[in-house]
Amino acid sequence: MKTIQLHRVTLVVLVLFVSMVALGQEEYKSYEGQLNDADTKKALSLASITVKGTNISTITNAEGDFLLKVPAEISDAMVVFSYLGYETKNMPLKDLKPKGNKIQLNISITALSEVSIDAPQNPRRLVEEVLETKGQKYVSDPTLMTAFYRETIKKRKRNVSLSEAVVNIYKAPYSTLKNDAIKLYKARKSTDYSKLDTVALKLQGGPFNALYVDIMKYPEYIFTEESLDNYNFTFSNSTYINNRLIYVIAFNQLDEIINPLYQGKLYIDAKSKTLTSAVYELNITDRDLAAQLFVRKKPNNVQVWPTEVAYRVDYRNSDNKWYYSYSNVLMEFKVNWKNKLFNSVYSMAAEMAVTDWEVNKDEKSPKFRDRLKKSIILNDEAVGFSDPEFWGEYNIIEPEKSIESAIKKIQRQLKKSTPSNGTAMP
């Protein structure tokens, strides 16, 4: 069997010694709130929020909180709240308050008779059909997307490093082999190396880490004609997304395969036969082999290996075409010093949400010197957290409470270091 080349070559952890589309409008309205399960009141994380009739969207954070920014001239639109396995809710924009919105969704019940009629019998063949027809059903025009990207590094539960960016994605049609390009628009960061115990972890690749989770654009990194033979595909219980029936296909690495591959679930629209979402993880069969995939550089007396690597990607439908809307990567690593009794546990997360897009009619592309390189370390490129209004009119993923607290702490520290004339210290 030929060695499978996993696409996460840009997801690299650098372990080093240390001494210790701009599419916004000038005027906009903001709406904040939380999305919950109507029965249990449980927060719904990574739920989709879109403004009907536009390409404006955002998602909820891990605590169900959202912040939606809409151009002031849009006043009578409908806001659509949707979440996997729940009934979609449409709400007039005029009914939303600037703050304190509590939106509740009801679980969608799947009728058994509905999924049995004309349901496909071969799960692998359905996956192959989805991949074969991607050029017809996904974005077929060059597209300019505005996206929000965030990456965090934590030592256990404490934030060590935080970077955020607004980027422009020059998305190539799904029918071509041309790669996407990314241009950095705004970025900010914070790093507290004092919490790293003489080890600095850095995430190489920046927004490319999230972008390459787009299975339909980059299927060769997970499901090639050859690699499909390494998996077992089975049907799981069906569900709903945006009131559309969704087939759920579970896939697992075959027992006889030694190399670390993937396991997870694919959510396929029953009517259009398109992938709407995928949730999967690396099957760490051998920690040394897994470490070779992610660890680029480290001291000789340190062992570093991943204990968990998980991925998610979501797609959205617009005018009967599907396009990439959100993805994330979650990684956990153990760092073991040969002369130390206890291991250190670090987690790294990268997520990106498309918040607006338009057809790139002139097929404009950034100059090579302006494009982000796949080797970028965003934390080395970004500026500090000095401006609380940094993002302006851009939709972002609301920070979780721990991240929000970290940002406020940074801003307080910056104020203390600011001279009386208002000029920030270098």
Side-chain angles (χ1 to χ4, degrees):
M1 183 194 74
K2 183 179 177 182
T3 301
I4 304 300
Q5 295 295 323
L6 302 184
H7 88 254
R8 313 300 179 233
V9 292
T10 58
L11 289 174
V12 177
V13 180
L14 302 182
V15 185
L16 309 171
F17 280 116
V18 292
S19 57
M20 194 18 301
V21 190
L23 300 175
Q25 306 292 325
E26 290 185 359
E27 295 184 5
Y28 62 94
K29 293 183 178 179
S30 296
Y31 305 90
E32 298 180 27
Q34 188 177 68
L35 207 60
N36 301 96
D37 181 297
D39 294 325
T40 66
K41 310 307 177 186
K42 178 183 177 181
L44 300 179
S45 63
L46 305 184
S48 176
I49 302 167
T50 61
V51 180
K52 200 168 185 178
T54 76
N55 296 324
I56 300 170
S57 64
T58 188
I59 65 168
T60 60
N61 67 7
E63 295 156 344
D65 298 322
F66 69 86
L67 169 62
L68 177 66
K69 297 181 180 181
V70 182
E73 66 263 23
I74 299 178
S75 58
D76 59 354
M78 297 292 291
V79 181
V80 182
F81 300 88
S82 58
Y83 189 72
L84 178 65
Y86 285 75
E87 295 178 358
T88 299
K89 173 172 283 189
N90 292 275
M91 188 172 180
L93 181 63
K94 62 183 179 181
D95 289 349
L96 287 177
K97 300 175 291 186
K99 292 185 178 182
N101 295 285
K102 297 291 184 181
I103 312 299
Q104 298 183 345
L105 299 185
N106 295 306
I107 293 178
S108 179
I109 306 299
T110 304
L112 294 177
S113 59
E114 187 175 358
V115 301
S116 62
I117 299 175
D118 298 325
Q121 301 301 311
N122 188 327
R124 171 172 169 169
R125 181 56 201 144
L126 179 56
V127 173
E128 291 174 333
E129 183 180 347
V130 169
L131 295 173
E132 290 168 358
T133 59
K134 64 169 186 158
Q136 306 166 23
K137 299 173 181 177
Y138 290 80
V139 173
S140 55
D141 296 313
T143 306
L144 176 59
M145 295 177 165
T146 299
F148 174 77
Y149 172 77
R150 174 186 289 138
E151 65 182 45
T152 58
I153 299 176
K154 294 183 180 181
K155 182 182 178 184
R156 299 198 183 276
K157 294 183 179 181
R158 299 174 63 186
N159 283 294
V160 170
S161 176
L162 170 64
S163 299
E164 297 178 329
V166 169
V167 298
N168 290 327
I169 304 173
Y170 294 78
K171 196 76 175 167
Y174 282 72
S175 57
T176 72
L177 297 177
K178 184 178 179 181
N179 289 334
D180 304 325
I182 300 179
K183 184 178 180 180
L184 186 65
Y185 179 68
K186 282 188 176 183
R188 63 183 187 178
K189 68 164 183 184
S190 170
T191 301
D192 187 353
Y193 286 111
S194 65
K195 297 177 182 178
L196 284 169
D197 291 342
T198 72
V199 170
L201 274 75
K202 295 184 179 182
L203 184 63
Q204 187 172 5
F208 288 101
N209 293 310
L211 184 64
Y212 284 166
V213 184
D214 181 356
I215 293 177
M216 299 311 297
K217 179 59 181 173
Y218 303 98
E220 65 272 16
Y221 296 125
I222 178 170
F223 293 137
T224 63
E225 291 183 13
E226 181 185 59
S227 66
L228 285 173
D229 293 331
N230 298 318
Y231 292 100
N232 179 45
F233 296 89
T234 58
F235 281 109
S236 186
N237 293 332
S238 299
T239 185
Y240 279 87
I241 299 178
N242 292 337
N243 299 332
R244 300 171 70 107
L245 179 62
I246 303 295
Y247 297 130
V248 182
I249 295 180
F251 63 96
N252 294 278
Q253 179 177 341
L254 297 177
D255 293 337
E256 60 267 28
I257 304 300
I258 299 176
N259 290 333
L261 296 180
Y262 301 106
Q263 59 189 16
K265 291 184 177 180
L266 306 173
Y267 298 83
I268 297 175
D269 184 272
K271 183 177 181 180
S272 64
K273 304 293 175 57
T274 52
L275 182 72
T276 64
S277 185
V279 180
Y280 56 105
E281 62 183 356
L282 185 68
N283 186 20
I284 303 176
T285 54
D286 185 304
R287 79 180 195 185
D288 293 328
L289 288 176
Q292 292 175 20
L293 297 171
F294 297 98
V295 182
R296 179 65 56 84
K297 185 178 180 182
K298 67 178 184 63
N300 292 330
N301 61 334
V302 176
Q303 290 180 313
V304 183
W305 66 90
T307 57
E308 181 183 3
V309 184
Y311 307 92
R312 172 174 174 155
V313 61
D314 295 328
Y315 298 89
R316 188 170 297 130
N317 183 282
S318 178
D319 296 328
N320 295 320
K321 288 288 186 179
W322 295 79
Y323 67 94
Y324 162 76
S325 64
Y326 174 80
S327 62
N328 69 33
V329 184
L330 301 173
M331 299 180 288
E332 185 176 274
F333 291 86
K334 280 192 175 180
V335 178
N336 182 26
W337 293 82
K338 292 183 180 180
N339 297 325
K340 286 189 176 183
L341 183 60
F342 299 104
N343 296 327
S344 295
V345 178
Y346 295 88
S347 61
M348 310 176 78
E351 63 179 335
M352 186 157 65
V354 173
T355 58
D356 207 344
W357 63 275
E358 64 181 6
V359 175
N360 189 0
K361 296 180 180 179
D362 299 327
E363 298 189 32
K364 295 180 180 178
S365 182
K367 297 179 180 179
F368 282 99
R369 68 171 180 269
D370 296 328
R371 298 185 183 191
L372 284 186
K373 296 180 180 179
K374 297 176 184 178
S375 60
I376 185 176
I377 298 174
L378 183 62
N379 189 260
D380 291 345
E381 300 289 330
V383 296
F385 278 84
S386 58
D387 184 1
E389 301 298 327
F390 187 76
W391 300 125
E393 69 273 21
Y394 291 91
N395 275 296
I396 64 172
I397 305 171
E398 272 287 83
E400 299 166 29
K401 295 297 185 293
S402 61
I403 295 177
E404 190 174 24
S405 297
I407 293 175
K408 289 180 179 179
K409 182 178 179 181
I410 295 164
Q411 290 173 343
R412 287 197 299 268
Q413 292 172 341
L414 286 168
K415 287 180 180 179
K416 290 179 180 178
S417 63
T418 302
S420 58
N421 63 4
T423 304
M425 295 289 287

